Amino acid sequence: MEVTELLAVLMTALLVIAAATLVGPRLRVAAPLLLVAIGVGASFLPAFAAVEIDPELILAGVLPPLLYSSAVSMPAMNFRREFGAISGLSVVLVVASALVLGVFFMLVLPDLGFAWGVALGAVISPTDAVATSIVRQTSVSKRVVAMLDGESLLNDATALVLLRTAIVATAASFSVWGAVGTFAYSVVVALVIGLVVGAANLALRRRVTDSTVNTVISFAVPFVASLPASAVGASGLVAAVVAGLVTGVRAPRELSPQNRLSDSQNWRTVELVLEGAVFLTMGLQIRSIVVDVQEDHAGVAPALLIAVGALVLTIVVRAAYVAPLLRVLSARARHAEAMQPRVQSMHEQIRTEGAVGPFAEMNRRGRSGPSQLAAEAGPEGVAVPAPAEVASPSPSPRLGSGGSRTAPPRASRTRSRRTSSPRRASSRTPSQRTLDQFTRRVTQGLADIEYFLRQPLGWRDGTAVVWAGMRGAVTVAAAQTLPEDTPQRPVLVLIAFAVAALSLLVQGGTVGPLLKRLSPPVDEAELHERNESERTRIFELMRASGDAVPAPEAPVLERSKEAFDASVAHTLAMLAAQRSALLDARDNGLFDADVLADALANLDASEIAIVLRGRLAE
């Protein structure tokens, strides 16, 4: 293809992506579905008859920036609160789906074998971050969105590691512990690399004042995290996600509003283009894959029937997993509701008397009293640690899968008895840092309980979680990484493509109307009142933190340059104090994530306007 033709194709693709994004909502059709349909239609044109997209371009070139951007914009507090459900959906459900699908493919595809069936099951199992963009446009619960977003950020690592393990198992003996070790290595190393890259990213960009240069550096961050991780056999996608989470949490404290605004605007554009390109190329490749199957004399109709069966099976397995998950979460929520008065009482005592009294009291009571809040206060096990555990290195009890307490090893119990003795614990004078940590965890634990009780999950939410688990770019790209000597490879690739396409068509095309029908009536007045209450509390916090900033001394000449500079400096100091207070509240989970994000955006806009006025006055 000539350079001029390539530029014409790129220009047309950008216009098509923009048009689909605008027209889709008016037609009540999700933009990704329109783009897939347009791609299929374009594949019949001579210029696109033999389009082949390198799958590594998607896995290594498109997904890392998309996942990084999603991680940066995801509310970190919601991710933490839903991490129990997210980790189960990302690991347990993916493995279970791959194994069940492996048996299914072994039975319906002659001479395929279980290992290759599991490999194809691993390809089909993960939900897609791009596909879940459809869900964000519906009225689904924010908890469901957090769970689906978090799942799509992390399940790719499980699927790809399982895919590699299954492929190895076709040529050698399979080891369960070897697979577990491979997965642990992939995730742990990626986690370390992502943390290092995220911290280094902020340390570097904090010193770069030019917003344009700062944003260009941010474009490189997902690849700086993913490429080294992939090179050492870890998950590059997880590394990019972790780097994004670190950036999203710390950026408001580390980067200027100008840099963050530039990041936000440019990354939204990148997301739109990359997401659109993924679905366009998906549609473009379907025709060539069908032709490959026909040339292989394998039959397209049987492959499509198998794809329908596989899609139904993934939905059934997902429903079978989500149903007990919701029951566990509901049981923990009821337990948290019973614990709420105790945590509330502790929080009020800290507010009125300080943290020393509650800290000492909990140390005196030890594990027989309120120190059990460490494991019991929150539905996800994220609550208040016992002060004795904060002050001593002894391990805390762990929660089993059903919420029961499991005892630590004997040596740890002996050490715990020695270190958490009431006399020894109470005889220590806690440092201010320990008291601050204790206060923060009590506040955070109470906020977590209120969050789970305010947004309980019911069968409607479970239906949304099940039906919104769509397949997309990861399935399409991973299928094409199957080795060339894979038995019936064209058929397997077609099945994966068909599952992804059917998932987007059936689930993506109906999820909006389904959730609208299932959603209970919303009391707009109550919702408005709740949001206004949140805003009032935020404004009170901002007023209090702003009033704490000392006012400048009154200058002699009110209209002098010095007076203006002093006024600007005072205003910027107030905005900095208000931002710090709001970020502390964000970390403690005191406010709704969306309302708090609006307040922080208003602060950023105010600071940018003041800085610009200051430049005009120079």
Side-chain angles (χ1 to χ4, degrees):
M1 185 177 291
E2 298 292 336
V3 175
T4 304
E5 294 177 350
L6 178 61
L7 291 176
V9 169
L10 292 177
M11 177 197 67
T12 303
L14 292 175
L15 294 176
V16 167
I17 292 170
T21 305
L22 294 176
V23 174
R26 298 181 181 179
L27 299 178
R28 297 184 179 180
V29 177
L33 296 178
L34 277 180
L35 291 171
V36 170
I38 293 172
V40 172
S43 66
F44 288 92
L45 299 176
F48 303 107
V51 171
E52 292 186 7
I53 306 296
D54 187 348
E56 287 299 324
L57 180 62
I58 303 295
L59 292 176
V62 175
L63 290 182
L66 280 177
L67 295 179
Y68 170 84
S69 181
S70 297
V72 169
S73 59
M74 183 174 186
M77 187 56 59
N78 291 352
F79 182 84
R80 179 189 65 77
R81 285 165 165 166
E82 306 294 349
F83 186 74
I86 289 171
S87 57
L89 292 168
S90 303
V91 179
V92 179
L93 180 57
V94 170
V95 174
S97 299
L99 294 177
V100 172
L101 287 170
V103 174
F104 171 73
F105 291 131
M106 180 183 66
L107 295 176
V108 299
L109 290 171
D111 302 326
L112 183 65
F114 179 67
W116 285 115
V118 172
L120 182 57
V123 167
I124 294 174
S125 296
T127 57
D128 194 85
V130 177
T132 54
S133 63
I134 299 174
V135 181
R136 298 191 193 101
Q137 304 170 15
T138 66
S139 58
V140 72
S141 164
K142 294 178 182 178
R143 288 192 64 185
V144 172
V145 173
M147 291 167 63
L148 292 172
D149 276 341
E151 176 192 9
S152 62
L153 290 179
L154 299 178
N155 61 10
D156 301 333
T158 306
L160 295 178
V161 170
L162 192 59
L163 172 61
R164 291 201 300 265
T165 304
I167 292 175
V168 171
T170 62
S173 59
F174 175 74
S175 169
V176 174
W177 292 113
V180 172
T182 300
F183 177 75
Y185 170 84
S186 176
V187 173
V188 171
V189 173
L191 178 65
V192 173
I193 292 176
L195 289 172
V196 172
V197 171
N201 160 47
L202 293 172
L204 171 63
R205 294 171 60 199
R206 184 171 59 241
R207 294 168 172 79
V208 178
T209 57
D210 189 299
S211 299
T212 304
V213 176
N214 209 293
T215 301
V216 170
I217 295 174
S218 76
F219 290 156
V221 173
F223 302 107
V224 173
S226 64
L227 294 179
S230 299
V232 297
S235 172
L237 300 182
V238 170
V241 168
V242 173
L245 290 173
V246 172
T247 302
V249 171
R250 297 296 306 173
R253 298 185 188 271
E254 304 282 349
L255 304 181
S256 68
Q258 294 90 333
N259 290 343
R260 285 185 281 110
L261 178 62
S262 174
D263 268 13
S264 176
Q265 292 174 335
N266 286 284
W267 271 105
R268 279 201 297 268
T269 303
V270 170
E271 280 187 11
L272 178 64
V273 172
L274 292 182
E275 287 179 1
V278 164
F279 288 109
L280 270 178
T281 55
M282 180 178 170
L284 284 172
Q285 295 176 87
I286 289 179
R287 180 172 179 269
S288 62
I289 292 173
V290 171
V291 171
D292 290 341
V293 173
Q294 290 174 335
E295 292 176 352
D296 202 39
H297 304 290
V300 174
L304 294 179
L305 288 176
I306 293 173
V308 172
L311 178 60
V312 172
L313 198 55
T314 59
I315 296 173
V316 170
V317 172
R318 188 174 180 87
Y321 179 83
V322 170
L325 172 65
L326 289 181
R327 286 197 293 269
V328 171
L329 295 179
S330 297
R332 291 182 177 179
R334 290 192 298 270
H335 184 69
E337 186 175 14
M339 300 295 295
Q340 186 179 24
R342 299 169 66 183
V343 185
Q344 181 70 52
S345 175
M346 187 188 310
H347 184 259
E348 291 297 328
Q349 189 176 1
I350 290 175
R351 290 181 60 185
T352 56
E353 303 174 10
V356 176
F359 185 91
E361 177 67 20
M362 288 185 67
N363 270 326
R364 282 194 297 270
R365 295 190 180 189
R367 296 190 182 280
S368 62
S371 61
Q372 293 178 347
L373 297 175
E376 298 176 352
E380 297 296 330
V382 284
V384 188
E389 296 165 4
V390 175
S392 67
S394 59
S396 60
R398 297 184 297 274
L399 278 177
S401 60
S404 61
R405 298 164 71 86
T406 57
R410 180 179 301 175
S412 298
R413 293 201 299 269
T414 303
R415 184 167 61 252
S416 177
R417 284 195 294 267
R418 290 198 302 266
T419 56
S420 63
S421 170
R423 289 185 179 181
R424 294 192 180 208
S426 59
S427 63
R428 294 176 180 172
T429 301
S431 65
Q432 186 60 45
R433 179 180 178 183
T434 300
L435 292 177
D436 290 342
Q437 182 185 18
F438 173 65
T439 301
R440 184 177 67 253
R441 293 300 299 274
V442 170
T443 304
Q444 190 180 87
L446 181 60
D448 288 351
I449 293 175
E450 293 174 349
Y451 167 83
F452 289 113
L453 297 182
R454 186 172 61 249
Q455 302 185 58
L457 295 176
W459 67 270
R460 294 182 178 88
D461 303 291
T463 303
V465 173
V466 171
W467 199 248
M470 288 166 280
R471 276 64 190 167
V474 176
T475 294
V476 170
Q480 297 177 85
T481 63
L482 292 171
E484 292 297 330
D485 60 349
T486 301
Q488 307 177 61
R489 185 179 185 277
V491 176
L492 302 188
V493 174
L494 176 60
I495 290 172
F497 265 73
V499 169
L502 289 171
S503 175
L504 289 173
L505 178 63
V506 177
Q507 294 174 267
T510 59
V511 67
L514 175 65
L515 295 182
K516 186 176 181 180
R517 176 179 288 272
L518 291 179
S519 297
V522 178
D523 189 339
E524 296 292 343
E526 181 182 354
L527 181 62
H528 178 74
E529 182 180 354
R530 185 189 308 164
N531 289 337
E532 286 300 314
S533 175
E534 288 273 285
R535 293 187 181 93
T536 300
R537 291 168 55 209
I538 289 176
F539 290 151
E540 290 175 353
L541 177 61
M542 293 172 62
R543 185 182 301 110
S545 57
D547 291 343
V549 177
E553 296 182 2
V556 177
L557 298 176
E558 294 293 338
R559 295 182 178 275
S560 66
K561 181 67 165 57
E562 291 76 9
F564 178 80
D565 291 341
S567 176
V568 169
H570 176 252
T571 304
L572 292 177
M574 289 179 58
L575 292 176
Q578 291 172 341
R579 181 179 295 108
S580 179
L582 290 182
L583 291 175
D584 290 341
R586 178 205 65 179
D587 294 341
N588 289 330
L590 299 181
F591 301 110
D592 178 82
D594 293 335
V595 178
L596 189 59
D598 289 341
L600 288 168
N602 285 330
L603 282 182
D604 289 346
S606 298
E607 181 169 335
I608 292 173
I610 291 171
V611 170
L612 291 177
R613 291 170 189 165
R615 291 176 182 174
L616 290 175
E618 291 178 356

